[in-house]
Amino acid sequence: MGSTWGWRKSSASGASDNECVEIAWTDRTVLVRDSARPRGAIVVVSPEAWVVFLSSVSRAQARDVTAARP
């Protein structure tokens, strides 16, 4: 399962390979999995939901950086 999908590892992954998230785009969905368990569960979301998720994470990180300023 998933051998034909082009999985990409997150650029924000930890130094060890067991703390990574990978995604793959299909024609109609975005697939998300734990790279430490490539044969494990896959979360399937719409491209629109993925964009909303990424935007939310981006805003949260911006708030964290702003709050950490001295």
Side-chain angles (χ1 to χ4, degrees), residues 11 41 58:
S11 61
S58 218

Side-chain angles (χ1 to χ4, degrees), residues 1-15:
M1 175 189 253
S3 61
T4 60
W5 298 319
W7 290 98
R8 297 184 61 187
K9 192 176 291 188
S10 169
S11 61
S13 296

